């Protein structure tokens, strides 16, 4: 079920009605059934993989939970009989066994993800009327990256004793499979949603109205802006246009992925908000970032947090890294030795982030480029600080701040363009074409209108971008929808205008084929 | 007080959206009204007099049979309920709608569309269906005709289908958005007066048939039409209008199946394919688009030829002595000749 569809809106409306009509103690069951229905649209095989993830993570979490309890109990009982060192040794041994169990759980979950995303195209299967047929059938399993990461995160949090163990299998299933976050995230942690999903919720008009407005806003970004510019991107890529068109591609693709992904997340978070569930935010005005590091703290935040918490930090603290640091200090000097483990962990983390998006060279290069740019940026930081100290007025001036934001936007747009071609040499080739193909005049002589987007559509897209920018700025302190809740006439007028704008200017229905979300489709 | 304002403004916003959806939908839908073939079915709803014969089918029907000529020459009252690329399932539902209003002596169904196993073009199918008045039959016709990409909701809310046309709107679209559809036909006949002869240098040959069997779905709907007519005591007559086009080649394999079907079901079947000489058709004069369709001159010849068959073989009454009916039809015949003469 696509979020940008009437089916989803109808599904959400029915679910909301039932959710608030049933006795509160069974609300979580309604959510679980809703998630099952939502997922059932993806087919039996998808449902099987989700169930597999639920069962594996449940078993792992239960074993870890039991071990934590037994450890605590043992330590309590032996408080007086064992020495401090003996207790420490016992705890370490116990923890090691738990770590093995955790690793087995993570391995099985990861194996399932790796099989679906990378191996099924070689040894896949499909279910036909005659039974199961094996062959090169690349599996498309909705949301497997997201629920696998949610489950692994939960297992690690339980191991670290930072999350409670959910004993009820069905409540655990709800945490892993809560439907709004399955298609494109956010990647929530148990601390974010676990308790909320168990709690009872009364209908709250403010939450429902704000949630609905957020859904509309998501539709606007997705259908009026992102999907409208998609044909131009497709045309530039398919025709392998270079020069000024490559620069346009970078800009257009940034606009598209922003509208598509943030719009989709708005629909997800708005849907959950109507039901009284607050999912973690995934974006915080990313295009206002002044540096690459800041950008990644504002873009796809839950993914960034996940990789930081579960890959970067554990990796940085491994014995191997400590040895590497020691070796570096001895052979290459203190400065390099100090940086070596952090930089190695950064590059590995970004490589993993790239591979999470897909097993292709463009994702590898994309991940590595992000890591390298962040590291260079960090190395240049002392220089920036000197500049800042020397010219504080200039640094704090609006034009310089804007310059930094534009610089970051352009840099990220350039790195992101690897997604478009899915071909590393071709991307570099088209990039270098900007240095020897001087065709800027073409776009003023009708070239823009030959990209399968009409003048009126460009005008709508431009107006859409202006509105998106304005809303982003106005929401810096507090979400605009919450401000509008306090001004009902204006708020409802904007709601009506949004509805009409989406219905008239939206790219949906026959003749449009871009309604599937980029992150929901490619990065399942 | 604020709560009250909140509720009232919310309800107002919903009403504004609803109003905009209806108004924009009507305006955007109207943007296709320049197309004459979007007005072929609506005329029937204004008729009150009964008909001896109802013609059902596609372009070969609404550009091939002229009710005015049929009355003028044989005194047979008729109406054509044809539309562009009308599929058999659309024909069935249009027939069911027609038979709820009247019980003609005979229904003439043109068999060309029997080779369609699914709706060929969404835009054309929709154009025809949207000209029908809302009823259970229209709903059934929509459901039967919908392609996989379509949604039923878009038939109730045309904005969902036509929204992309907002940039093509002109003032006329706003002016006529809520006008009732205008009947531009002569009892369902769409007049074409241009002459564009068959291109004799075109030596293309029809494609070989991969599957000679007529689609199962089409034949099932033909069964339904047969059963419906039988139930109402109406004679169903099958006909194949003349063809002179590679694009609409009528394969002998198809014809043989219709012959068998007609025999099995006790129906009359008249194929006019290959009977140009008998009919008097001259493809250098009687077509307006290189032989794909007949113009008014060709249609008059076909109607005369087929009218004779109807009168002689099916015992249809000559109403030319009926003063009341003659008066009604005289007006229609005059209107027909007015347009024919004007052009």
């Amino acid at each position: 079920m696509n979020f940008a569809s009437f089916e989803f809106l109808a599904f959400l409306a029915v679910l909301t009605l039932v959710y608030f009509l049933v006795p509160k103690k069974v609300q979580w069951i309604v959510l679980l059934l809703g998630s099952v229905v939502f997922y059932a649209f993806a087919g039996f095989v998808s449902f099987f993989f989700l169930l597999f993830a639920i069962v594996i993570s449940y078993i792992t979490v239960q074993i870890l939970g039991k071990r934590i309890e037994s450890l605590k109990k043992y330590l309590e009982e032996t408080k007086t009989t064992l020495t401090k060192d003996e207790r420490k040794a016992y705890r370490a041994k116990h923890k090691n066994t738990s770590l093995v169990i955790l690793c087995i759980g993570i391995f099985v979950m990861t194996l399932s993800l790796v099989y679906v995303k990378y191996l099924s195209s070689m040894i896949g299967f499909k279910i036909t009327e005659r039974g199961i047929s094996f062959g090169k059938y690349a599996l498309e399993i909705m949301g497997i990256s997201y629920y696998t990461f949610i489950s692994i995160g939960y297992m690690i949090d339980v191991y670290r004793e930072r999350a409670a163990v959910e004993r009820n299998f069905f409540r655990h299933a709800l945490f892993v499979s809560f439907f709004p976050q399955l298609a494109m995230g956010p990647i929530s942690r148990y601390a974010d949603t676990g308790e909320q999903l168990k709690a009872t919720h009364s209908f709250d008009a403010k939450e429902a109205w704000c949630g609905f407005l957020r859904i509309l806003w998501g539709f606007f970004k997705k259908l009026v802006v992102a999907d409208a510019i998609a044909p131009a991107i497709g045309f530039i890529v398919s025709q392998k246009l270079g020069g000024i068109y490559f620069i346009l591609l970078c800009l257009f693709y940034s606009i598209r992925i922003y509208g598509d992904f943030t719009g989709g997340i708005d629909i997800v978070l708005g849907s959950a908000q109507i039901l009284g569930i607050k999912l973690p935010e995934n974006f915080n005005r990313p295009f206002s970032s002044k540096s690459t590091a800041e950008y990644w703290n504002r873009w796809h935040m839950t993914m960034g947090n996940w990789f930081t918490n579960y890959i970067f930090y554990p990796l940085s603290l491994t014995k191997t890294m400590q040895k590497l640091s020691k070796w570096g200090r001895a052979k290459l000097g203190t400065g390099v030795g100090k940086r070596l483990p952090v930089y190695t962990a950064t590059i590995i983390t970004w490589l993993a982030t790239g591979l999470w998006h897909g097993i292709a060279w463009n994702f590898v290069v994309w991940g590595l480029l992000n890591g390298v740019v962040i590291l260079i940026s960090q190395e240049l930081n002392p220089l920036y600080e000197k500049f800042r100290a020397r010219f504080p007025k200039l640094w704090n001036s609006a034009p310089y701040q804007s310059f930094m934001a534009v610089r970051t936007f352009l840099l990220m747009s350039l790195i992101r363009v690897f997604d478009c071609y899915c071909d590393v040499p071709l991307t570099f080739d088209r990039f270098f074409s900007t240095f020897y193909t001087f065709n800027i005049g073409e776009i003023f002589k009708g070239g823009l209108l030959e990209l399968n987007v009409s003048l009126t559509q460009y005008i709508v897209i431009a107006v859409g971008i202006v509105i998106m920018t304005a809303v982003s700025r106005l929401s810096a302190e507090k979400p605009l929808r919450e401000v509008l809740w306090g001004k009902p006439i204006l708020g409802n007028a904007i709601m009506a205008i949004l509805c009409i704008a989406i219905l008239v200017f939206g790219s949906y229905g026959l003749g449009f084929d871009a309604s599937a979300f980029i992150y929901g489709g490619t990065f399942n | 007080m604020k709560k009250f304002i909140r509720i009232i403004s919310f309800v107002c916003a919903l009403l504004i959206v609803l109003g905009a959806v209806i108004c924009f939908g009507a305006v955007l839908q109207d943007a296709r009204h320049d197309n004459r073939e979007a007005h072929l079915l609506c005329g029937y709803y204004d008729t009150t007099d009964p008909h001896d014969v109802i013609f059902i089918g596609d372009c070969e029907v609404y550009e091939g049979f002229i009710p005015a000529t049929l009355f003028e020459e044989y005194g047979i009252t008729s109406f054509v309920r044809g539309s562009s690329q009308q599929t058999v399932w659309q024909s069935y539902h249009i027939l069911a709608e027609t038979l709820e209003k009247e019980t003609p002596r005979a229904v003439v169904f043109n068999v060309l569309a029997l080779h369609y196993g699914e709706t060929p073009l969404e835009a054309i199918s929709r154009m025809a269906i949207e000209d029908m008045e809302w009823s259970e039959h229209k709903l059934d016709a929509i459901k039967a005709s919908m392609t996989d990409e379509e949604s039923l909701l878009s038939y109730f809310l045309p904005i969902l289908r036509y929204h992309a046309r907002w940039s093509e709107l002109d003032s006329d679209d706003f002016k006529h958005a809520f006008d009732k559809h205008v009947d531009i036909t002569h009892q369902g006949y769409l007049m074409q007066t241009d002459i564009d002869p068959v291109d004799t240098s075109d030596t293309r040959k029809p494609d070989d048939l991969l599957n000679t069997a007529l689609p199962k779905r089409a034949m099932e709907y033909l069964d339904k039409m047969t059963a419906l007519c039988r139930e109402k005591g109406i004679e169903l007559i099958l006909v194949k209008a003349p063809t002179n086009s590679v694009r609409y080649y009528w394969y002998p394999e198809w014809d043989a199946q219709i012959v068998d079907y007609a025999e099995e079901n006790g129906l009359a079947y008249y194929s006019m394919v290959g009977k140009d000489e008998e009919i008097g058709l001259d493809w250098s004069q009687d077509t307006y688009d290189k032989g794909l369709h007949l113009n008014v001159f060709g249609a008059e010849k076909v109607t005369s030829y087929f009218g004779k068959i109807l009168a002689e073989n099916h015992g249809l009454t000559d109403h030319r002595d009926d003063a009341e009916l003659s008066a009604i039809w005289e007006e229609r015949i005059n209107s027909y000749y007015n347009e024919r003469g004007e052009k």
Side-chain angles (χ1 to χ4, degrees), chain A residues 100-396:
Chain A
V100 171
I101 292 163
L102 172 69
C103 288
I104 292 170
I106 293 174
F107 176 76
V108 175
M109 297 288 296
T110 311
L111 197 66
S112 156
L113 178 67
V114 169
Y115 172 69
V116 168
K117 291 193 78 164
Y118 313 123
L119 301 178
S120 67
S121 58
M122 289 176 273
I123 39 167
F125 67 90
K126 68 174 180 181
I127 296 175
T128 62
E129 285 172 3
R130 291 176 191 169
I132 299 176
S133 168
F134 292 92
K136 291 181 177 178
Y137 306 117
L139 293 172
E140 286 185 9
I141 306 297
M142 191 181 83
I144 189 163
S145 300
Y146 293 101
Y147 63 69
T148 302
F149 272 35
I150 289 171
S151 304
I152 291 177
Y154 182 39
M155 293 188 314
I156 297 174
D157 282 348
V158 168
Y159 167 77
R160 290 175 178 172
E161 296 179 46
R162 286 180 193 163
V165 176
E166 179 51 68
R167 296 283 178 210
N168 184 317
F169 174 78
F170 295 103
R171 284 189 197 269
H172 173 90
L174 174 60
F175 166 68
V176 175
S177 68
F178 183 46
F179 73 93
Q181 60 187 2
L182 278 187
M184 67 184 79
I187 304 168
S188 62
R189 297 174 72 176
Y190 191 81
D192 299 321
T193 53
E195 293 303 320
Q196 284 191 78
L197 289 169
K198 281 200 276 186
T200 59
H201 300 273
S202 301
F203 179 77
D204 184 325
K206 183 186 172 188
E207 293 299 318
W209 189 85
C210 288
F212 181 60
L213 197 64
R214 188 162 192 179
I215 291 174
L216 286 181
W217 181 232
F219 272 97
F220 179 85
K221 289 200 270 188
K222 160 82 177 147
L223 298 178
V224 179
V225 180
D227 286 355
I229 199 75
I233 295 165
F235 189 83
I236 295 173
V237 171
S238 66
Q239 300 300 310
K240 298 175 184 162
L241 301 180
I244 186 68
Y245 293 105
F246 179 82
I247 296 168
L248 283 180
L249 175 67
C250 294
L251 300 178
F252 286 176
Y253 188 64
S254 287
I255 294 164
R256 185 181 182 209
I257 199 155
Y258 176 83
D260 186 277
F261 198 9
T262 66
I265 287 293
D266 280 329
I267 297 171
V268 167
L269 268 58
S271 305
Q273 191 176 2
I274 290 175
L275 299 166
I277 312 287
K278 192 169 165 34
L279 290 176
E281 291 290 341
N282 219 18
F283 297 94
N284 179 18
R285 304 174 60 236
F287 290 165
S288 66
S289 308
K290 314 281 186 317
S291 69
T292 334
E294 186 189 350
Y295 172 84
W296 279 111
N297 282 329
R298 291 170 173 271
W299 177 275
H300 209 343
M301 289 146 63
T302 57
M303 181 199 73
N305 289 339
W306 196 96
F307 278 98
T308 307
N309 284 316
Y310 303 120
I311 295 197
F312 178 77
Y313 286 145
L315 199 61
S316 306
L317 299 172
T318 54
K319 281 180 183 164
T320 317
M321 288 296 170
Q322 284 166 15
K323 279 181 191 168
L324 188 67
S325 176
K326 213 171 170 183
W327 176 85
R329 282 170 202 259
K331 303 276 179 188
L332 306 164
T334 316
V336 177
K338 211 169 111 186
R339 288 180 176 90
L340 209 52
V342 178
Y343 283 16
T344 310
T346 303
I347 294 294
I348 292 173
T349 304
W350 276 105
L351 187 63
T353 311
L355 290 173
W356 177 73
H357 284 82
I359 193 153
W361 282 111
N362 58 300
F363 291 122
V364 172
V365 174
W366 173 87
L368 290 177
L369 270 178
N370 270 296
V372 169
V373 167
I374 287 172
L375 293 181
I376 292 173
S377 180
Q378 271 180 27
E379 282 303 311
L380 293 174
N381 219 23
L383 273 178
Y384 292 145
E385 286 306 317
K386 271 185 191 168
F387 181 76
R388 187 181 183 169
R390 184 97 185 260
F391 306 102
K393 266 191 178 175
L394 175 66
W395 182 278
N396 293 318

Side-chain angles (χ1 to χ4, degrees), chain A residues 6 209 456 460 485-486 488-489 492 495-496 499-500 503-506 508 510 512, chain B residues 2 5-6 9-10 13 17 20-21 24 122 149-150 159-161 163-164 166-167:
Chain A
F6 286 106
W209 189 85
T456 47
V460 170
W485 171 254
I489 295 176
N492 284 314
M495 185 188 83
C499 276
I500 295 166
L503 285 169
V504 176
F505 302 124
Y508 64 88
L510 278 171
F512 299 98
Chain B
K2 201 163 188 178
I5 293 172
R6 201 183 298 287
S9 60
F10 182 73
V17 172
V21 163
F24 277 128
E122 177 270 341
E149 296 80 28
E150 287 184 85
I159 194 171
L160 301 179
R161 174 64 183 90
H163 65 98
W166 64 271
S167 57

